[in-house]
Amino acid sequence: MTLMEPPSIPVRRAHDGLELPAIGFGTYKVNGFAGAEAIRSALEVGYRLIDSAFNYENEGIVGKAIRESDVPRERIIVASKLPGRHHQYDQARTTIEESVARMGLDYIDLYLIHWPNPSQGQFVEAWQALVDAQRQGIVRHIGVSNFLPGHIDLLIRATGVTPAVNQIELHPYFQQNELRAYDEAHGIITEAWSPLGRANQMLKDPTITRIAAKHHVSPVAAILRWHLQLGDVAIPKSMHRDRQRANLDLTGFTLDEQDMRDIAAMDNPEGYTFGQNPRWHEEA
């Protein structure tokens, strides 16, 4: 396959120099050889950020796709995440090493703590393990996922190291304005998981469909363009090459101020898609 040049997608920059394209490729439930083919396809059409996790059980497939891709390794940013059951320091260090080995790569570009699991009270230990793995050189940048400002404050006070990324649930039904403002104030890139929310529901929302029709684009494109203009990094997923390409094709139109106001009005502060509130949600 001929490689396509990545489209003109904005770049987000963190306080530590990390640069991420504003659209990445999610790999939740992207598994097996079909998953490897989907990731290779995503790289071919222009994605350069590939998001994985230990608990997705696909780090091996992600690494295989990257190794077999014609895209030079140094142009690919691959991320993974530490699961909740391995927050204890020694377990965390071993798990990070296992992630690197499973991918068959010399390093992972970005490694996150997947959930704070506050009742365990070990996420600061886990963060110290990430800090030390970064110093070792097996991960290049470190961050968190689903962390609230209070959680991040504890990390900074304990280690002096601020996360480069905070990956959170973020979509028009759940816009997380205060958390995004906190991230921005600390030089933290906000990444959006589930950027389309409950896609089957949101893609039929009258506000979204009206805005999409106004700009002669799909509802998916309208939502991803909203993320682009909001300033976060969205990580949609698709196994299909045409949809992968379409999810990157966002530069031919712009949402106007009224569009942005209309989508802002869709926000629900309790709009969790799966009820996973990080104040009490516990990941295994």
Side-chain angles (χ1 to χ4, degrees):
M1 284 286 185
T2 301
L3 288 175
M4 297 181 64
E5 282 300 311
S8 180
I9 294 292
V11 171
R12 313 303 189 200
R13 293 177 176 85
H15 66 88
D16 68 344
L18 173 65
E19 295 186 346
L20 297 181
I23 302 291
F25 186 75
T27 67
Y28 178 59
K29 294 188 177 179
V30 177
N31 300 84
F33 290 163
E37 179 56 36
I39 297 164
R40 281 196 298 270
S41 169
L43 289 167
E44 286 168 2
V45 303
Y47 290 86
R48 295 295 178 263
L49 169 61
I50 307 296
D51 181 77
S52 181
F54 190 94
N55 270 357
Y56 296 173
E57 298 183 342
N58 66 0
E59 289 174 316
I61 286 300
V62 170
K64 174 181 170 66
I66 290 171
R67 294 193 308 272
E68 294 177 354
S69 171
D70 290 332
V71 178
R73 170 67 184 95
E74 62 272 14
R75 294 178 59 190
I76 301 170
I77 301 165
V78 60
S80 196
K81 307 181 195 74
L82 180 76
R85 64 187 177 279
H86 293 161
H87 277 195
Q88 190 272 335
Y89 178 86
D90 290 337
Q91 293 179 355
R93 286 300 302 272
T94 299
T95 301
I96 297 165
E97 293 168 1
E98 287 285 349
S99 290
V100 176
R102 288 180 184 192
M103 286 191 175
L105 304 174
D106 293 332
Y107 62 90
I108 291 175
D109 300 271
L110 176 62
Y111 208 89
L112 313 177
I113 302 176
H114 208 157
W115 285 88
N117 281 29
S119 74
Q120 295 181 19
Q122 292 183 313
F123 63 80
V124 173
E125 272 189 68
W127 183 243
Q128 186 64 60
L130 267 67
V131 170
D132 291 343
Q134 183 183 36
R135 289 170 178 160
Q136 182 185 352
I138 60 173
V139 298
R140 295 284 177 86
H141 302 271
I142 55 176
V144 294
S145 181
N146 304 297
F147 273 52
L148 300 173
H151 300 140
I152 298 174
D153 286 342
L154 285 173
L155 301 183
I156 297 170
R157 285 201 295 268
T159 66
V161 180
T162 300
V165 166
N166 187 14
Q167 185 182 118
I168 59 175
E169 180 178 359
L170 175 59
H171 46 76
Y173 288 161
F174 190 48
Q175 299 179 25
Q176 303 246 51
N177 294 317
E178 292 183 5
L179 185 48
R180 286 192 296 105
Y182 174 93
D183 288 349
E184 183 176 2
H186 289 77
I188 301 169
I189 296 170
T190 299
E191 279 190 345
W193 65 260
S194 195
L196 305 177
R198 283 194 183 93
N200 290 338
Q201 177 184 357
M202 190 176 296
L203 299 185
K204 298 175 183 176
D205 185 282
T207 298
I208 296 296
T209 55
R210 176 178 52 76
I211 291 172
K214 171 181 172 180
H215 294 281
H216 308 288
V217 298
S218 70
V220 169
I223 295 169
L224 292 178
R225 180 71 205 188
W226 173 79
H227 283 283
L228 210 63
Q229 293 180 212
L230 199 67
D232 62 45
V233 171
I235 44 175
K237 176 193 76 175
S238 177
M239 300 289 284
H240 305 286
R241 188 181 184 89
D242 289 344
R243 292 177 190 166
Q244 291 172 353
R245 186 184 293 112
N247 288 347
L248 286 175
D249 186 17
L250 304 172
T251 57
F253 69 103
T254 302
L255 302 185
D256 60 34
E257 292 182 5
Q258 186 62 55
D259 298 331
M260 297 298 286
R261 283 195 295 269
D262 290 345
I263 295 177
M266 297 169 61
D267 186 29
N268 176 358
E270 296 300 326
Y272 297 97
T273 298
F274 305 105
Q276 294 173 320
N277 188 321
R279 288 179 177 82
W280 54 75
H281 177 73
E282 298 286 316
E283 181 203 39

